[in-house]
């Protein structure tokens, strides 16, 4: 958006390059409608981050509406309504934090109203939502506003860090929005850039605790963020710098990437688990699933939310005994994947005194960037049962896979 001699000019070329790339990777975006174009801002000096994103309300609300309408129309014309109707348009980012929004709550509600109606004017099938607040703020007041004003609302979005996502379904039901989608569009182990916890195995059980906790009570939970190629606070100063990414600069996979990959590999048929012992269901938790080929995955993790223990604590390590019943009496292949300080942890392969790898070191790191999975001896089920036992440190994740021979 630019204004030249009083005439507004629109250019979505950069956005097209980004969305073309995302779609080419098999990803669908949630379109975040921020920040304010300089020529449209009421206060161009209200900025945040190294790239000086402008956080002020628009100086001309009608031109804001036209900008959003034209953006939505352009995306539909370029990618088709069948595709774009699966995306979602999220109005702004964390307006309840002054650093991200220089206006008031009432200003944000006006911003939302205008943007939502502009999007729906292009096609009713386009999804729009908010308030995209930090720490689950403003949800009740936002729902009250939307209900009273009759504004469009397809999904409620909010952000959370350091803990497990709250259950907000009852809040939506109370305000008459039962069944409205719930999207946690930012969630992570820490909101603090340059934090050691962002690179450590501590994040692996953290993401599994969170992903399991939202099953049945949220429609999306997005980890913030995919990659350390991320420049809100400037260029990364070294390879392992406590960046938010699941991937490092150069796309090495951090422990919590592997945790999500193991969760993704689970089957769709969940298996009942009876978890007992000190910390069962809180410190230690489990998912187990079965696939049509008869293979069984048992994913177990050990993790606390106390980040002062991100380097581990011997008192929180556990010895795990796994008993699997109701199997066919036959032979099974078995393997054990691990994520902890010494397994599937690329940070353990790096000298922290070095800033960036040499070409030879890059090659060594990429060669070592694999999930640590080792075969176990084949076992034979007797009376429908087999048993295993192994150590599970904190933080730590194990995935036991058994497959019929």
């Amino acid at each position: 958006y630019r204004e030249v001699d009083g005439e507004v000019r629109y250019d979505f070329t950069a956005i097209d390059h980004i969305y073309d790339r995302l779609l080419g990777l098999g990803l669908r975006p949630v379109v975040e409608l921020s920040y304010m174009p300089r020529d449209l801002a009421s206060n161009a000096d209200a900025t945040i981050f190294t790239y000086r994103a402008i956080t002020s309300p628009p100086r001309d609300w009608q031109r804001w509406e036209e900008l959003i309408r034209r953006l939505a129309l352009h995306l539909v014309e370029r990618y088709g309504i069948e595709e774009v109707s699966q995306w979602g348009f999220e109005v702004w980012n964390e307006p309840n934090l002054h650093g991200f929004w220089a206006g008031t709550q009432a200003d944000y509600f006006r911003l939302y109203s205008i943007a939502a109606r502009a999007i729906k004017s292009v096609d009713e099938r386009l999804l729009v939502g908010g308030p995209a607040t930090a720490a689950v703020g403003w949800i009740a007041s936002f729902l009250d506003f939307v209900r009273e004003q009759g504004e469009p609302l397809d999904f409620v979005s909010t952000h959370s860090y350091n803990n497990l996502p709250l259950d907000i379904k009852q809040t939506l039901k109370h305000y008459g929005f039962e069944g409205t989608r719930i999207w946690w569009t930012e969630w992570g182990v820490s909101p603090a850039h340059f934090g050691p916890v962002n690179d450590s195995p501590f994040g692996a059980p953290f993401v599994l605790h969170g992903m399991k906790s939202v099953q049945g009570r949220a429609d999306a939970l997005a980890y913030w963020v995919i990659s350390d190629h991320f420049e809100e606070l400037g260029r990364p100063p070294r390879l392992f710098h406590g960046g938010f990414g699941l991937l490092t600069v150069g796309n090495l996979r951090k422990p919590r990437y592997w945790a999500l990959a193991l969760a993704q590999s689970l089957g769709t048929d969940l298996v009942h688990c009876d978890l007992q012992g000190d910390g069962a269901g809180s410190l230690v938790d489990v998912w187990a699933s079965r696939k049509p080929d008869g293979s069984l995955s048992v994913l177990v993790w050990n993790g606390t939310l106390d980040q002062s223990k991100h380097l581990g604590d011997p008192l929180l390590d556990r010895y795990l005994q796994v008993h699997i019943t109701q199997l066919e009496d036959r032979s099974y292949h078995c393997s054990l994947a691990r994520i902890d300080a010494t397994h599937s942890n690329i940070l353990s392969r790096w000298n922290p005194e070095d800033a960036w790898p040499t070409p030879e070191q890059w090659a060594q790191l990429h060669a070592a960037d694999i999930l640590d999975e080792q075969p176990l001896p084949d076992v034979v089920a007797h009376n429908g049962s087999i048993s295993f036992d192994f150590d599970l440190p904190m933080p730590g994740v194990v995935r036991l896979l058994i497959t019929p021979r």
Side-chain angles (χ1 to χ4, degrees):
Y1 177 99
R2 293 187 61 196
E3 295 183 17
V4 180
D5 297 329
E7 180 182 347
V8 178
R9 298 180 182 179
Y10 302 91
D11 184 355
F12 300 118
T13 304
I15 291 174
D16 292 344
H17 288 325
I18 294 169
Y19 291 161
D20 288 351
R21 178 64 171 161
L22 288 176
L23 294 171
L25 292 171
L27 300 173
R28 287 195 172 103
V30 175
V31 182
E32 182 183 278
L33 301 178
S34 62
Y35 291 96
M36 194 62 60
R38 178 168 299 277
D39 288 356
L40 186 55
S42 59
N43 179 8
D45 293 326
T47 65
I48 193 170
F49 299 133
T50 302
Y51 52 74
R52 297 182 62 80
I54 298 174
T55 62
S56 80
R59 60 177 177 80
D60 187 319
W61 292 89
Q62 288 185 328
R63 288 191 172 182
W64 162 258
E65 179 178 13
E66 182 63 12
L67 170 62
I68 301 306
R69 188 190 71 81
R70 284 179 179 256
L71 171 63
L73 180 61
H74 171 78
L75 294 175
V76 169
E77 289 174 344
R78 184 175 180 85
Y79 302 109
I81 186 60
E82 295 303 322
E83 173 63 37
V84 182
S85 64
Q86 300 179 72
W87 293 9
F89 292 79
E90 181 179 57
V91 182
W92 213 254
N93 171 69
E94 301 187 357
N96 60 325
L97 298 185
H98 181 72
F100 291 106
W101 177 240
T104 64
Q105 184 186 77
D107 291 332
Y108 172 74
F109 289 168
R110 184 181 183 187
L111 189 86
Y112 178 87
S113 174
I114 292 173
R117 292 178 183 273
I119 290 164
K120 291 294 187 180
S121 73
V122 173
D123 196 296
E124 284 289 336
R125 289 171 289 180
L126 296 177
L127 305 179
V128 63
T133 43
V136 207
W138 290 6
I139 298 297
S141 54
F142 175 73
L143 294 175
D144 199 34
F145 164 77
V146 170
R147 182 180 61 183
E148 288 186 0
Q149 300 300 317
E151 304 294 353
L153 180 65
D154 298 300
F155 62 90
V156 172
S157 65
T158 188
H159 303 164
S160 177
Y161 289 88
N162 296 336
N163 52 28
L164 307 186
L166 301 174
D167 187 352
I168 61 173
K169 291 183 72 173
Q170 289 303 312
T171 302
L172 267 63
K173 182 179 180 180
H174 175 77
Y175 284 91
F177 291 94
E178 186 175 12
T180 300
R181 298 171 180 88
I182 298 172
W183 291 1
W184 294 86
T185 48
E186 280 190 38
W187 171 72
V189 67
S190 173
H193 210 56
F194 307 122
V197 70
N198 290 321
D199 293 332
S200 79
F202 184 92
F206 175 89
V207 296
L208 295 175
H209 276 309
M211 288 291 174
K212 184 179 181 182
S213 75
V214 300
Q215 300 302 299
R217 57 181 181 85
D219 301 280
L221 179 60
Y223 193 87
W224 184 263
V225 64
I226 291 176
S227 170
D228 280 351
H229 289 274
F230 185 87
E231 299 183 11
E232 284 184 347
L233 300 181
R235 295 288 180 91
R238 55 200 309 116
L239 177 58
F240 289 102
H241 58 277
F244 292 130
L246 298 171
L247 304 171
T248 70
V249 172
N251 295 332
L252 299 169
R253 290 164 284 200
K254 298 183 187 180
R256 61 180 182 273
Y257 173 97
W258 289 121
L260 290 173
L262 290 179
Q264 175 69 22
S265 72
L266 291 171
T268 55
D269 294 328
L270 292 181
V271 173
H272 174 73
C273 298
D274 181 18
L275 192 61
Q276 301 178 13
D278 184 18
S282 54
L283 182 72
V284 179
D285 212 340
V286 59
W287 260 339
S289 69
R290 182 170 45 223
K291 292 185 176 180
D293 65 0
S295 63
L296 186 71
S297 294
V298 182
L299 182 59
V300 191
W301 56 94
N302 181 5
T304 174
L305 297 180
D306 181 358
Q307 295 193 10
S308 70
K309 295 181 173 59
H310 77 274
L311 295 178
D313 185 331
L315 293 177
L316 299 181
D317 292 345
R318 291 294 181 266
Y319 176 68
L320 200 62
Q321 295 177 309
V322 179
H323 305 290
I324 303 173
T325 62
Q326 301 183 36
L327 295 170
E328 294 182 16
D329 283 346
R330 58 185 301 177
S331 179
Y332 293 88
H333 289 303
C334 305
S335 67
L336 189 68
R338 286 186 175 273
I339 308 169
D340 53 47
T342 58
H343 301 89
S344 310
N345 177 23
I346 196 66
L347 180 60
S348 69
R349 304 300 186 98
W350 180 245
N351 181 357
E353 295 182 359
D354 294 336
W356 294 104
T358 64
E360 293 76 17
Q361 288 173 320
W362 273 120
Q364 293 169 0
L365 287 168
H366 280 290
D369 185 26
I370 59 174
L371 177 69
D372 193 309
E373 185 168 18
Q374 301 296 326
L376 299 176
D378 289 354
V379 297
V380 177
H382 294 289
N383 298 320
S385 67
I386 53 178
S387 297
F388 303 86
D389 58 272
F390 36 81
D391 293 321
L392 180 58
M394 197 301 296
V397 177
V398 295
R399 194 277 307 273
L400 176 65
L401 178 63
I402 66 169
T403 305
R405 290 187 58 179

